[in-house]
Amino acid sequence: MMDLKTYGYTEIEEIPEGLMPGRITEFRRELFTVMTLRGEVSAVLKGAFYYNVETREDFPCVGDFVLLQYNEGGNSLIVKVLPRSSKFSRADYSGHAVGFTKTVLEQVVATNFDYVFILSSLNWDFNVTRIMRYLTQARQSGGQPVVILTKTDLVEDYNLTLTEVTQSIPDVPVHAICSHTGQGLNELGTYLIPGKTVVFLGMSGVGKSSLLNALMKKEVMKVQSIREVDSRGRHTTTHRQLFMLPSGAMVIDTPGMRELGLFDAEEGIRGGFADVEDLFTQCRFTDCRHQTEPGCAVLTALTDGSLVRERWEHYLAQQHENKFVNDKTSYLIDKRARNKTKAIWSKQTRKKGGWKN
Ligand SMILES: Nc1nc2c(ncn2[C@@H]2O[C@H](COP(=O)(O)OP(=O)(O)OP(=O)(O)O)[C@@H](O)[C@H]2O)c(=O)[nH]1
Ligand SMILES: [Mg+2]
């Protein structure tokens, strides 16, 4: 018989007759997978299960310890969620309308973890501001944050970045790893101890599932290459799942989040390229386009090598992409306005009888 203690369960309250404790490892298509003393079982919510439909904050989530009515022949029934020791939630703007007002729902992403691994890739999309934003959320979760810089094999020298991150967040441990070569993975041993749970957070494509696979020593989660042009992830992982590592620790892999993505780009670029934008203030002309203008600080920096050409090109590429997204958004808003005008106009002409279809 399996011992639920290995899944981090501590008996905090007496189990009523006829119920069985378990830990939710997966939730997909309205069906929960729960690890119990009898192994893995499928479960649904008991009809009378109460949760607040407006906030959904007490809706069972991957990582939760629950009480079940075990059902031999079919789905077991979840009757209760046990108190959570930690939880990570985010605002869900997907727009459920409650009454006439659009409320922002709390979406609980994972619960009962000891560590929050904030993953960030060391490739050129790297930016400290984004890490700090994740950190703010992680600090409120009840888990201990750890920053993981991924894909060390893609950069020649990551020591500068490592120093930059360590200096920006001196109270949080930072590790640089490569899931492909295994570099730095043994440093993570301090956290991956039996009975402890780690949740992986980070943007799509940073390598969360790759790290999970490396730690599992087999492919348990699908991994997909990112778009090379801009290193954006493809949102490969679409559900959350808890895995038991060979070390006895557990990992909750999560899908990369959207809202910390594209539309934040402006602030993100500023945060990631402060050194580049600082140069602009030194140009002779305030409207310098940094192309051929005399007294351009960017051109000078490129010539004397203090600004690496690739970095400048990455900056331009990001600005370009960001502008594209912004233009597209305003194009759609304009289009909606135009269509509205067109609708009013055609209505009026039709009334006058001057419009024939
Ligand atoms: N070079 C290199 N590539 C890596 C490394 N880790 C992950 N990748 C690649 O990065 C891409 C994205 O990896 P995933 O593990 O799918 O990323 P993810 O964070 O799980 O993404 P989502 O599931 O969409 O949130 C894949 O092509 C991986 O092979 C690494 O250490 N080095
Ligand atoms: Mg993934």
Side-chain angles (χ1 to χ4, degrees):
M1 205 189 242
M2 82 142 283
D3 186 353
L4 207 55
K5 276 203 195 80
T6 58
Y7 273 79
Y9 175 71
T10 43
E11 197 172 318
I12 34 176
E13 54 183 70
E14 214 170 299
I15 310 295
E17 197 57 35
L19 294 184
M20 192 168 76
R23 185 166 201 192
I24 299 178
T25 57
E26 201 178 342
F27 177 56
R28 254 205 278 197
R29 295 185 202 97
E30 305 304 306
L31 204 63
F32 293 92
T33 307
V34 185
M35 185 51 81
T36 72
L37 301 171
R38 295 173 187 246
E40 242 175 35
V41 304
S42 303
V44 292
L45 294 185
K46 191 174 176 173
F49 184 92
Y50 170 82
Y51 67 91
N52 188 327
V53 275
E54 274 183 42
T55 66
R56 275 178 85 101
E57 83 177 296
D58 43 7
F59 192 84
C61 170
V62 171
D64 270 335
F65 292 106
V66 294
L67 295 182
L68 288 174
Q69 258 172 23
Y70 180 67
N71 188 351
E72 185 95 58
N75 292 332
S76 295
L77 300 175
I78 295 176
V79 299
K80 188 179 180 186
V81 174
L82 295 173
R84 293 162 172 165
S85 62
S86 58
K87 71 168 179 179
F88 187 83
S89 31
R90 59 181 190 134
D92 177 2
Y93 298 98
S94 58
H96 290 260
V98 177
F100 289 106
T101 50
K102 204 169 170 183
T103 43
V104 177
L105 303 183
E106 177 180 357
Q107 192 186 6
V108 185
V109 175
T111 62
N112 300 315
F113 44 82
D114 302 278
Y115 299 104
V116 183
F117 280 14
I118 298 166
L119 280 81
S120 191
S121 165
L122 279 161
N123 70 358
W124 62 262
D125 197 22
F126 180 84
N127 99 55
V128 182
T129 318
R130 192 189 297 135
I131 297 182
M132 291 172 82
R133 239 182 297 156
Y134 273 107
L135 210 54
T136 310
Q137 295 187 55
R139 283 202 168 103
Q140 298 161 355
S141 71
Q144 193 185 316
V146 178
V147 171
I148 311 284
L149 307 179
T150 63
K151 312 191 190 182
T152 53
D153 60 319
L154 292 185
V155 283
E156 238 163 74
D157 184 12
Y158 57 82
N159 283 311
L160 214 65
T161 319
L162 194 61
T163 313
E164 186 190 353
V165 179
T166 318
Q167 281 169 353
S168 313
I169 42 168
D171 54 336
V172 176
V174 183
H175 301 276
I177 61 135
C178 174
S179 300
H180 288 180
T181 62
Q183 192 206 351
L185 294 192
N186 53 8
E187 283 176 32
L188 305 182
T190 16
Y191 315 103
L192 305 176
I193 29 192
K196 299 282 182 197
T197 305
V198 180
V199 62
F200 285 2
L201 299 178
M203 303 229 334
S204 179
V206 297
K208 298 179 293 298
S209 301
S210 300
L211 175 59
L212 170 71
N213 291 341
L215 296 173
M216 290 292 285
K217 297 186 174 74
K218 64 176 175 193
E219 196 178 320
V220 289
M221 265 294 193
K222 218 178 104 193
V223 159
Q224 214 185 177
S225 67
I226 53 181
R227 285 175 10 215
E228 292 307 328
V229 291
D230 55 7
S231 81
R232 295 271 171 221
R234 296 179 189 276
H235 297 282
T236 307
T237 306
T238 50
H239 69 288
R240 296 172 205 106
Q241 194 172 344
L242 182 145
F243 294 88
M244 176 62 79
L245 298 185
S247 78
M250 288 149 283
V251 165
I252 301 176
D253 189 17
T254 68
M257 289 174 207
R258 255 170 235 277
E259 72 266 33
L260 288 167
L262 225 46
F263 286 96
D264 285 327
E266 220 156 307
E267 189 193 330
I269 295 171
R270 219 173 295 132
F273 291 90
D275 55 328
V276 176
E277 298 201 340
D278 276 351
L279 287 173
F280 300 167
T281 61
Q282 296 159 32
C283 292
R284 188 180 305 160
F285 304 110
T286 47
D287 60 348
C288 185
R289 288 169 305 137
H290 324 297
Q291 285 166 1
T292 50
E293 290 85 348
C296 169
V298 174
L299 295 179
T300 310
L302 285 172
T303 314
D304 70 19
S306 58
L307 174 61
V308 181
R309 182 157 293 275
E310 278 99 75
R311 189 159 168 77
W312 174 239
E313 275 160 12
H314 287 153
Y315 175 82
L316 291 179
Q318 284 210 15
Q319 284 294 10
H320 181 75
E321 185 205 359
N322 189 37
K323 185 168 180 312
F324 174 75
V325 174
N326 287 344
D327 287 355
K328 204 166 150 193
T329 314
S330 52
Y331 168 77
L332 289 174
I333 293 168
D334 283 353
K335 193 173 157 194
R336 226 176 293 147
R338 276 201 307 276
N339 284 344
K340 209 170 158 189
T341 322
K342 218 155 89 189
I344 295 169
W345 179 76
S346 71
K347 210 168 144 190
Q348 284 172 346
T349 14
R350 222 175 296 177
K351 248 193 225 155
K352 287 188 208 137
W355 181 272
K356 297 252 155 41
N357 260 333

